[in-house]
Amino acid sequence: MKEEPSPIYGLMAEFDNPTEIVAAAHRAYEEGYRNMDAFTPFPIEELSEAIGFHHNRLPLIVLIGGIVGCLGGYLLQYWVAVIEYPLNIGGRPFHSWPAFIPITFETTVLVAALSAVFGMLALNGLPRPHHPVFNVPNFKLASRDHFFLCIESKDPKFDRKQTRQFLEGLGGKVSDVELS
Amino acid sequence: MSEISYAAPAEIDHYRQRALVIGVVALVLCAASAAIIKDRIFFSYLVGFVFWTGVALGSLAIAMLHQLSGGNWGVVIRRLLESATKTFPLLAILFLPVVAGLLFGDLYEWAHIEKVTGKEREILEHKKFYLNTLFFLGRAAFYFIVWISLTYLFNKWSREQDETGDRRLQRKLQILSGPGIVLYGLTVTFSSIDWVMSLDPEWFSTIFGVLFMGGQGLSALALIIALLVLLSKHEPLASKVKPAHLHDLGKLMLAFVMLWAYFNFSQFLIIWAGNLPEEIPWYIRRLQGSWKWVGLMLVVFHFALPFFLLLSRDLKRNARRLITVALLVVFMRFIDVIWLIAPEFQEKDFTARKLGIVMDFVALIGVGGIWMWFFLSRLKERPILPLHDPNWEDAES
Amino acid sequence: MSTKDIETQEYIPDHLLDEPTITPVIRPGHTFGTVTDKISAIALTRKTPRGWYIGFAIAFALAMMLFYSLAQLVLVGTGIWGLNVPVAWGFAIINLVWWIGIGHAGTLISAILLLLRQNWRTSINRFAEAMTLFAVACAGIFPVFHTGRPWLAYWLFPYPNTMKMWPNFRSPLMWDVFAISTYASVSALFWFIGLIPDFATLRDRARSRSGQVIYGMLAMGWRGSARHWHRYETAYLLLAGLATPLVLSVHTVISFDFTIGITPGWHATIFPPYFVAGAIYAGFAMVLILAIPIRKFYGLEDFITMRHLRNMAKIMLATGLIVGYGYMMEAFFGWYSANQYEGFMIRNRMTGPYAPFYWALIFCNIIAPQILWSRRMRNSVPVLFITALIVSVGMWLERFVIVVTSLHRDYLPSSWGMYRGSFWDWSTFIGTIGLFVALLFLFLRFLPMISIFEMRTILPQAEVKEAKE
């Protein structure tokens, strides 16, 4: 009985130093591949550029978070001290703006920091307990000292045979990324 | 790295002469205005003197900090900082009109204790040990001796480093810079008490010295960044100043802007909340009447605007935009020094009050012109880049 | 502790001591693999040393004493502490300030040194951040229990309630609530974010099923994708940028607790920067106290080198001098202010019944650390350790003197009094030290105490070489 080759997530090439994987990613990008990703044990600035990832919305999210925290903190204090619960304390004006600055600052930082962390996780799609790339036998080493480049099957240029040849030509050890 | 000449660009001569002419004209104007505004001119002159002394002192502090911390941001501005520190002999001479204000004018109330009566007199009697003419002049002499000696040694070793490249000189500069920073902190603190805080002899604030250090650092840094960008139109800086340097300097300026705001807000909040009769009048003078608008201007243009602009990475790496922010900061430093000093003139003479503000700027330009002339002359004497700074290797990469 | 440190054995000329080639931030010869293995092995495979059990047992016993003391406090009331009029602020605020201050060095190392691109921070930031968290946890105990009814502590937060009451935002004590809870939250996030890639390493290397599951859950499916790393680095830098002013604001707000009132000796504008410097000072002393035994005990001299210890000594020296400047300003302005109460307070501090504490703190914080000016001394591990201990004691004394001397003799001589901590004050304080050390032991045992992924980045191999075309 002939077996249909089961669909795969992509092809994974394995390298053992940062220089090689950056060069490989550059080559793949030049070749026209776009749906690819690299997996490394530490951040490599050149690599995200090599796979064509520049756009990063995180600073904007954090800025918005900061503005929300700032306005929210100040308005909360204003509303409480002037509108909802005005109390004369030591003859200070209800709207004691200098005294409201410290808390405004703290809420700004708090909301901005929360947006940085949760914004990063959300944009990265984490937590995500399982992902097809974990099926690659050697992938455990991606968190130690190996560097992986994955070209995904959804890439329009992806062809199981040619892509494999291309990746092998780059000098990496290539394996299938099973879907499950 | 040795093909290009490291001599300062010839254009400096051009700037130098112009500065001298402007400075002399402005100072003559100041002297002439004394006929109309009388003692108020001493306040204006003090503004000019305090600002430019602050630039020299801030440069000294940054140069010493760079010796201790290293980092390639300092390499490109090192010679500018060093030349600024060589201006202390000139500043010592420029201090003389302040002495005249003390002796013959009404600049410092405590110098004429016999005119004061009541509770205020009691306070001045208490402080007489510290606030008296002789001790004031002695302290000023001491500050200048410390500053001139420190900068003499610093520049001497720096010159030897240029000539010989001996790495031991680096060590000597560091050994000088550690205690040098301590001396800087102490002299700046007490000189700020003497020259500015004692304008209102009843008032006191323990953060005042720190506030001055932050302000001086910012004045020096902003001015030096502006000069660096101007000079980097010409060789050799044109090929050596990289966006990365400007980026680091911009970050440093941002840090100083934030520190300045932090020190000032801390002082304000504490005094505002305490609301004590010996402290709050200082702020009442500065936050009521027309000075209120100057205060607001400081919040917006000395802190908020530069802060938000300098957050941008692209701005910090762009020479033309960075110089705009640096010049804004220099201008706001002028305003801050005026705001610290001028409201202490409390005579009812409204002509003097109004014209005095104009003369504050004229004095700033006058002292600044002379200072700039002297500074540029020192800058010309030596290569514009430190040849054997050990941080070069970093800076090159 | 052995005085023989490898680097002090042979003679190195003074002017070369700081050369990176002589004392690198990481001993040469390591690879991505060896760094990973060496650090992760402590949490995963290495047999827990007997010393760990002994140390943990002692710390745990002290932590139990803390819980007993707190239980006693709740059952009997705050009267068991030594507080009484005129000194109504005693150990609780002293220990709060002390602990929060210790925490500050952790944030400073992880955030400010990151922004300043000081890569030597990499091997000490993780446990310094852990130290921050545990110190803040210890600090938080005091104000919460000082309320007397800790189960109502949530009343401090503004929330709509049936009593139709709201907190007073003009009070610095309210600012404290916001500052400390923000600080605790942001420090925890910063720490956790830093750990995610290392959790992934531990997940991939754990042999036991439970290890795989637990570390796996904590790693949240981290797979080291280049896109993820890019956003991760951005988030980390932004957090560092936020944490830096935050850490300054926290001790500033703590100083406002004192300065916003008009008590002589407390109402001083220098307090904010001087408290911040004091906090960093005490914090670095604590990092040294912890780092020196840890590197010895776990054999981490390759990663925590003499360069780290020397740099921390320099920071201590610098911040110590700022603290000294603060004392000097207080003394000078005590006289210059011409205010009789200010003047009395300073004289009373220096010559009154608490004078021995004052002079002891001057010795501990100002005189003793001057030894760090000498390069030889900065290069001696025992000297650093002892100096750090002295500074820790000194900084506690400083807060004691500030709090107690301003209160015990106020405007009305008939209400003067003396203050000393009761047995329960001491048992609570020592108990928090036990809790702190116990948490630290757990951290050392179960989590990578050095950031593995950041150590990989500072290896020379991590550099991407120019394409050879």
Side-chain angles (χ1 to χ4, degrees):
Chain A
M1 203 167 84
K2 239 178 94 183
E3 236 180 295
E4 273 286 297
S6 55
I8 54 169
Y9 175 79
L11 284 166
M12 183 83 92
E14 186 179 341
F15 301 89
D16 39 286
N17 69 61
T19 308
E20 278 175 25
I21 191 159
V22 172
H26 271 299
R27 286 284 310 281
Y29 193 83
E30 284 163 18
E31 199 74 9
Y33 292 107
R34 290 295 176 270
N35 288 343
M36 59 177 164
D37 204 348
F39 303 89
T40 56
F42 56 86
I44 301 171
E45 208 180 315
E46 294 88 340
L47 192 55
S48 52
E49 282 165 30
I51 62 167
F53 178 71
H54 308 283
H55 191 61
N56 190 350
R57 275 178 302 164
L58 198 57
L60 184 68
I61 293 176
V62 175
L63 181 71
I64 293 170
I67 293 170
V68 168
C70 179
L71 293 177
Y74 196 89
L75 291 177
L76 168 75
Q77 296 176 81
Y78 182 85
W79 180 76
V80 165
V82 181
I83 298 165
E84 174 67 11
Y85 199 56
L87 276 184
N88 183 336
I89 291 162
R92 306 269 184 303
F94 292 140
H95 182 204
S96 295
W97 68 268
F100 296 164
I101 304 279
I103 292 183
T104 307
F105 175 82
E106 302 299 337
T107 52
T108 308
V109 171
L110 182 64
V111 181
L114 290 172
S115 343
V117 172
F118 292 103
M120 184 271 282
L121 290 177
L123 291 174
N124 282 352
L126 297 175
R128 173 170 183 177
H130 193 72
H131 190 274
V133 294
F134 287 116
N135 295 331
V136 174
N138 245 351
F139 196 73
K140 272 185 185 325
L141 294 177
S143 68
R144 184 172 185 265
D145 56 356
H146 279 226
F147 302 79
F148 295 84
L149 181 68
C150 177
I151 294 179
E152 290 156 26
S153 56
K154 67 182 177 200
D155 191 282
K157 268 206 80 185
F158 184 85
D159 176 282
R160 219 159 154 164
K161 214 176 209 165
Q162 276 174 8
T163 307
R164 178 178 275 271
Q165 273 167 2
F166 167 74
L167 282 173
E168 272 164 355
L170 295 176
K173 193 181 126 224
V174 182
S175 40
D176 288 345
V177 183
E178 308 286 346
L179 268 173
S180 59
Chain B
M1 64 180 235
S2 55
E3 286 80 27
I4 344 165
S5 148
Y6 281 86
E11 285 79 0
I12 283 185
D13 263 332
H14 181 64
Y15 295 134
R16 198 165 70 106
Q17 278 147 12
R18 221 189 274 177
L20 183 64
V21 174
I22 294 174
V24 170
V25 170
L27 283 186
V28 169
L29 259 175
C30 280
S33 75
I36 311 168
I37 66 171
K38 313 217 173 55
D39 281 344
R40 178 65 175 81
I41 193 61
F42 288 120
F43 288 85
S44 295
Y45 185 81
L46 188 66
V47 167
F49 173 76
V50 164
F51 178 83
W52 291 101
T53 313
V55 171
L57 282 166
S59 303
L60 175 62
I62 295 173
M64 290 191 297
L65 276 178
H66 177 241
Q67 286 301 326
L68 295 175
S69 72
N72 60 27
W73 55 270
V75 178
V76 286
I77 58 166
R78 184 170 155 187
R79 200 43 40 84
L80 290 161
L81 294 169
E82 285 174 356
S83 306
T85 66
K86 284 188 193 167
T87 56
F88 284 111
L90 172 80
L91 288 165
I93 298 167
L94 290 174
F95 184 61
L96 294 177
V98 179
V99 178
L102 166 84
L103 296 176
F104 313 114
D106 229 356
L107 188 53
Y108 295 104
E109 193 188 2
W110 49 262
H112 313 283
I113 195 166
E114 62 285 348
K115 291 190 212 155
V116 183
T117 51
K119 177 90 172 91
E120 215 178 307
R121 176 71 178 262
E122 262 173 54
I123 292 172
L124 290 190
E125 292 286 351
H126 175 89
K127 298 188 182 183
K128 212 173 156 188
F129 164 73
Y130 187 81
L131 293 181
N132 67 69
T133 308
L134 203 62
F135 195 18
F136 176 93
L137 293 176
R139 283 196 304 271
F142 174 75
Y143 305 145
F144 278 107
I145 290 169
V146 169
W147 296 336
I148 291 172
S149 329
L150 265 179
T151 51
Y152 172 76
L153 284 177
F154 194 96
N155 284 303
K156 177 167 171 271
W157 289 334
S158 167
R159 194 182 61 238
E160 284 170 19
Q161 193 181 37
D162 263 5
E163 283 157 6
T164 64
D166 186 352
R167 296 215 92 163
R168 265 156 222 278
L169 284 161
Q170 181 65 17
R171 176 94 189 91
K172 274 173 130 178
L173 283 168
Q174 285 179 349
I175 288 179
L176 178 72
S177 296
I181 292 273
V182 176
L183 279 172
Y184 162 83
L186 294 178
T187 48
V188 166
T189 301
F190 286 98
S191 63
S192 68
I193 295 171
D194 289 0
W195 299 344
V196 182
M197 192 197 282
S198 82
L199 287 169
D200 176 359
E202 284 157 72
W203 185 72
F204 58 90
S205 167
T206 43
I207 203 177
F208 205 66
V210 179
L211 208 138
F212 249 72
M213 290 181 226
Q216 291 179 344
L218 183 56
S219 302
L221 193 66
L223 191 76
I224 297 280
I225 289 176
L227 285 168
L228 181 75
V229 172
L230 279 180
L231 290 172
S232 64
K233 283 182 192 151
H234 314 290
E235 286 298 339
L237 286 176
S239 55
K240 289 290 171 190
V241 179
K242 302 275 156 59
H245 293 127
L246 298 179
H247 191 182
D248 280 355
L249 291 169
K251 278 196 238 170
L252 205 58
M253 185 154 73
L254 174 64
F256 269 103
V257 166
M258 288 166 76
L259 273 182
W260 175 88
Y262 167 66
F263 295 146
N264 274 281
F265 179 71
S266 298
Q267 173 178 287
F268 169 67
L269 179 60
I270 291 168
I271 290 179
W272 175 85
N275 206 20
L276 290 174
E278 66 256 47
E279 291 180 338
I280 199 72
W282 194 84
Y283 272 113
I284 291 180
R285 280 198 289 284
R286 282 163 182 78
L287 293 176
Q288 289 183 1
S290 351
W291 284 114
K292 171 174 68 188
W293 302 110
V294 181
L296 190 66
M297 196 177 153
L298 285 172
V299 174
V300 176
F301 296 106
H302 198 313
F303 170 65
L305 185 64
F307 171 78
F308 282 109
L309 290 176
L310 287 170
L311 283 180
S312 149
R313 177 189 146 95
D314 295 338
L315 183 139
K316 281 178 287 203
R317 298 177 80 90
N318 178 323
R320 190 169 320 151
R321 288 191 214 154
L322 187 67
I323 194 177
T324 318
V325 179
L327 290 173
L328 168 73
V329 171
V330 171
F331 180 74
M332 290 316 295
R333 290 298 309 137
F334 283 178
I335 304 286
D336 186 38
V337 175
I338 294 175
W339 189 74
L340 282 175
I341 291 175
E344 291 306 330
F345 178 78
Q346 290 165 51
E347 310 272 317
K348 289 237 152 45
D349 181 351
F350 286 104
T351 333
R353 280 195 180 193
K354 279 193 187 131
L355 191 58
I357 306 296
V358 179
M359 294 321 289
D360 288 342
F361 286 99
V362 178
L364 273 165
I365 294 166
V367 179
I370 308 272
W371 187 89
M372 197 56 85
W373 161 74
F374 194 83
F375 160 79
L376 291 173
S377 311
R378 301 287 82 72
L379 186 63
K380 241 181 62 123
E381 287 166 357
R382 290 179 54 197
I384 194 123
L385 284 164
L387 303 178
H388 295 288
D389 191 303
N391 295 300
W392 257 122
E393 292 94 23
D394 288 346
E396 287 287 277
S397 62
Chain C
M1 186 182 312
S2 155
T3 49
K4 273 191 294 172
D5 201 277
I6 306 149
E7 290 152 270
T8 47
Q9 278 174 340
E10 53 193 291
Y11 178 74
I12 303 165
D14 263 9
H15 67 283
L16 290 179
L17 266 178
D18 278 346
E19 295 279 320
T21 45
I22 298 220
T23 30
V25 286
I26 182 166
R27 196 69 60 76
H30 277 289
T31 64
F32 300 130
T34 59
V35 168
T36 311
D37 297 345
K38 188 155 186 187
I39 304 171
S40 61
I42 295 170
L44 291 176
T45 50
R46 235 161 93 173
K47 203 168 156 286
T48 313
R50 188 181 300 157
W52 188 91
Y53 284 110
I54 297 171
F56 183 69
I58 297 170
F60 189 72
L62 289 174
M64 286 301 112
M65 181 171 84
L66 169 71
F67 295 130
Y68 183 73
S69 309
L70 292 177
Q72 186 74 14
L73 179 90
V74 170
L75 289 173
V76 182
T78 29
I80 65 167
W81 284 353
L83 301 174
N84 211 333
V85 172
V87 183
W89 261 17
F91 267 43
I93 188 90
I94 297 167
N95 296 336
L96 164 76
V97 181
W98 192 71
W99 275 121
I100 290 273
I102 285 172
H104 280 19
T107 321
L108 188 100
I109 289 171
S110 46
I112 301 185
L113 296 184
L114 176 76
L115 297 180
L116 295 176
R117 281 184 263 150
Q118 301 280 323
N119 66 9
W120 59 273
R121 76 180 255 293
T122 303
S123 52
I124 49 174
N125 71 332
R126 174 68 49 75
F127 83 79
E129 283 167 31
M131 185 191 85
T132 297
L133 272 184
F134 305 151
V136 173
C138 289
I141 289 174
F142 290 98
V144 168
F145 279 85
H146 189 204
T147 60
R149 294 178 197 169
W151 53 92
L152 297 179
Y154 65 91
W155 282 15
L156 289 164
F157 289 97
Y159 67 99
N161 55 65
T162 50
M163 298 170 282
K164 295 273 278 173
M165 296 212 316
W166 292 91
N168 169 24
F169 291 115
R170 296 177 201 89
S171 161
L173 301 183
M174 240 0 256
W175 308 346
D176 254 358
V177 173
F178 277 82
I180 294 177
S181 51
T182 302
Y183 186 44
S185 318
V186 174
S187 305
L189 288 174
F190 201 44
W191 190 60
F192 184 74
I193 286 292
L195 272 164
I196 290 175
D198 284 359
F199 282 138
T201 299
L202 292 184
R203 169 197 68 200
D204 294 346
R205 297 181 54 71
R207 292 204 199 109
S208 69
R209 184 70 194 142
S210 59
Q212 286 168 349
V213 170
I214 293 168
Y215 290 124
M217 273 164 38
L218 291 168
M220 299 196 292
W222 182 262
R223 51 189 188 273
S225 146
R227 287 185 174 79
H228 291 188
W229 275 125
H230 188 85
R231 296 195 191 99
Y232 178 91
E233 290 277 282
T234 313
Y236 203 70
L237 266 176
L238 288 171
L239 273 180
L242 290 166
T244 303
L246 174 66
V247 72
L248 299 189
S249 84
V250 172
H251 233 68
T252 300
V253 166
I254 297 261
S255 82
F256 287 154
D257 291 345
F258 297 90
T259 51
I260 294 300
I262 51 168
T263 311
W266 288 1
H267 183 71
T269 48
I270 187 74
F271 264 37
Y274 139 70
F275 264 50
V276 171
I280 297 165
Y281 188 37
F284 270 90
M286 187 56 89
V287 178
L288 274 176
I289 292 173
L290 299 176
I292 288 172
I294 288 174
R295 76 197 271 269
K296 199 99 225 163
F297 194 68
Y298 285 101
L300 294 175
E301 281 97 341
D302 288 7
F303 302 145
I304 305 176
T305 63
M306 274 316 286
R307 180 139 163 240
H308 296 98
L309 303 187
R310 279 201 304 268
N311 283 350
M312 288 194 271
K314 285 183 198 165
I315 295 176
M316 261 174 65
L317 180 61
T319 47
L321 288 167
I322 300 177
V323 170
Y325 175 89
Y327 299 155
M328 202 178 84
M329 286 300 109
E330 283 187 316
F332 176 75
F333 280 97
W335 172 81
Y336 183 87
S337 67
N339 176 316
Q340 56 169 324
Y341 301 108
E342 285 286 339
F344 172 78
M345 189 281 307
I346 285 289
R347 274 200 310 281
N348 182 46
R349 208 180 254 185
M350 291 177 174
T351 59
Y354 289 108
F357 292 86
Y358 181 76
W359 295 109
L361 90 87
I362 294 289
F363 172 79
C364 292
N365 290 347
I366 308 301
I367 298 171
Q370 299 309 317
I371 198 172
L372 299 177
W373 282 101
S374 148
R375 282 197 174 207
R376 288 278 125 201
M377 292 298 146
R378 283 206 298 265
N379 231 30
S380 153
V381 176
V383 167
L384 290 180
F385 188 70
I386 292 166
T387 314
L389 277 178
I390 293 177
V391 168
S392 280
V393 174
M395 286 309 292
W396 191 87
L397 285 173
E398 179 203 287
R399 278 66 177 252
F400 180 87
V401 166
I402 290 176
V403 169
V404 175
T405 56
S406 279
L407 288 175
H408 87 118
R409 289 183 168 177
D410 62 7
Y411 303 99
L412 198 61
S414 63
S415 63
W416 287 3
M418 292 292 284
Y419 169 80
R420 71 172 60 81
S422 71
F423 170 81
W424 297 109
D425 275 317
W426 283 104
S427 67
T428 312
F429 174 47
I430 295 168
T432 50
I433 298 179
L435 176 66
F436 177 76
V437 178
L439 289 170
L440 209 68
F441 268 105
L442 290 175
F443 159 71
L444 293 178
R445 171 65 187 79
F446 292 106
L447 297 176
M449 70 174 92
I450 293 177
S451 172
I452 307 174
F453 87 90
E454 284 182 292
M455 288 305 276
R456 295 185 195 117
T457 61
I458 61 169
L459 288 171
Q461 298 93 304
E463 201 183 329
V464 177
K465 294 178 192 72
E466 297 285 318
K468 341 154 240 281
E469 285 163 40

